[in-house]
């Protein structure tokens, strides 16, 4: 029944996504205006994150950025529905610029394992499709709470040639990734999700301590795999993207975990600062606080809003 419902959901999403790009973008702008007017959860979280990350930014400038973030978030949601339900080859034609592809090709050819760190910037679903077009890839993901939602994600993230393996970010995932790296495989990891308490290390992110995954650091340090950052950045006014692949700082693979996670956050922050409106500020990145700091969850008052 779960799979059947997920396929019905896919049909519904596909019918919505058939609208022309210009219509989808206008719908996204209307959604963003409603989100801001109603001050929904995403709006409140984005505003709080901006207060934390840009404390010295003038209030009026922060509000302009807040509007741009909500507009980008709504557009990205509808944009992704279209990418999920169209042939991947047609989607990849939206990538008008490619930078650093030789780094990716060389890392795959070396056969020593490759970790693609893909921050929540631009459109990471289009990036997944590009990666699958180049090589078999295993994508680490955090499953949604809904079984139907997870079944839906497995449908929309699969590719026609079966080159995408989706790995739940749970205990057995670590063993799977070790085997994959030893075999010279490729994995994609979203490096800016808050791990569970005890599964990460605190490091600065936009000047605020954030619990950060140690998996990427330990996996790269112990396996010797190459680490590259990759993202599909929106360019221009239309549905156009630039694919960018960049080398990760060497410190990401440091045997000192604290140094490794600090380098990871600094690299993600550098990408997010390219165009803050394209970063996922609607995510509660700072929920867990350093032990003994006396700091409270900065979103607690929003949860009782």
């Amino acid at each position: 029944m779960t799979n059947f419902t997920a396929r019905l959901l896919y049909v519904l999403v596909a019918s919505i996504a058939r609208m022309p790009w210009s219509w989808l973008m206008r719908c996204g702008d209307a959604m963003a205006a409603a989100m801001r007017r109603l001050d929904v959860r995403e709006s409140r979280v984005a505003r709080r994150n901006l207060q934390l990350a840009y404390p010295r930014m003038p209030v009026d400038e922060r509000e302009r950025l807040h509007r741009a973030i909500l507009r980008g978030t709504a557009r990205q949601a509808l944009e992704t529905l279209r990418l999920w339900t169209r042939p991947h080859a047609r989607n990849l034609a939206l990538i008008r610029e490619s930078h650093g592809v030789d780094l990716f090709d060389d890392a795959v050819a070396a056969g020593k394992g490759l970790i693609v760190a893909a921050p929540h910037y631009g459109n990471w679903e289009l990036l997944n499709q590009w990666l699958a077009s180049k090589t078999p890839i295993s994508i680490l993901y955090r499953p949604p709470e809904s079984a139907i939602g997870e079944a839906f994600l497995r449908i929309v993230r699969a590719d026609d040639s079966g080159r995408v393996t989706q790995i739940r970010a749970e205990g057995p995932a670590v063993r799977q990734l070790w085997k994959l790296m030893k075999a010279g495989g490729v994995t994609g990891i979203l490096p800016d999700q808050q791990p569970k308490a005890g599964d990460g290390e605190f490091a600065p992110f936009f000047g605020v301590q954030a619990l950060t995954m140690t998996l990427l650091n330990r996996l790269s340090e112990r396996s010797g795999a190459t680490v590259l950052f990759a993202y599909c950045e929106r360019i221009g006014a239309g549905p156009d993207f630039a694919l960018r692949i960049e080398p990760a700082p060497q410190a990401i693979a440091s045997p000192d975990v604290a140094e490794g996670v600090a380098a990871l956050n600094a690299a993600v922050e550098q990408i997010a600062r390219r165009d803050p409106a394209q970063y996922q500020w609607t995510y509660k990145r700072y929920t867990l606080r350093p032990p003994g700091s006396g700091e409270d969850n900065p979103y607690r008052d929003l949860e009782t809003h």
Side-chain angles (χ1 to χ4, degrees), residues 35 59 67 89 105 111-112 120 129 182-183 196 203 252 260 285:
M35 290 164 64
V59 174
R67 284 193 293 271
D105 291 340
K112 297 181 180 180
H120 288 88
Q129 294 180 9
K182 288 181 180 179
K196 295 179 181 178
I252 277 183
R285 185 68 176 86

Side-chain angles (χ1 to χ4, degrees), residues 16 40 59 69 86 95 100 218 237:
I16 295 172
V40 299
V59 174
I69 287 168
R86 284 164 50 99
I95 298 177
R218 287 171 172 159

Side-chain angles (χ1 to χ4, degrees), residues 113-136:
L114 170 60
I115 301 170
V116 178
H120 288 88
Y121 178 85
N123 195 299
W124 49 94
E125 297 295 343
L126 182 58
L127 174 65
N128 287 344
Q129 294 180 9
W130 182 87
L131 293 171
S133 75
K134 298 284 287 183
T135 183

Side-chain angles (χ1 to χ4, degrees), residues 218-296:
R218 287 171 172 159
L219 190 62
S220 59
E221 189 266 326
R222 296 176 186 176
S223 71
T226 300
V227 182
L228 296 174
F229 279 87
Y231 50 97
C232 281
E233 183 179 52
R234 295 181 195 85
I235 54 175
D240 301 324
F241 295 86
L243 169 72
R244 301 189 186 276
I245 299 174
E246 302 167 352
Q250 291 184 349
I252 277 183
S254 171
D256 182 339
V257 175
E259 182 181 14
V261 296
L264 175 62
N265 278 359
V268 174
E269 180 177 332
Q270 183 176 15
I271 293 171
R273 286 186 182 275
R274 288 179 58 87
D275 182 359
Q278 293 198 44
Y279 190 67
Q280 190 187 42
W281 293 102
T282 57
Y283 176 68
K284 295 180 179 180
R285 185 68 176 86
Y286 304 109
T287 303
L288 299 175
R289 310 312 307 138
S293 67
E295 298 177 18
D296 194 13

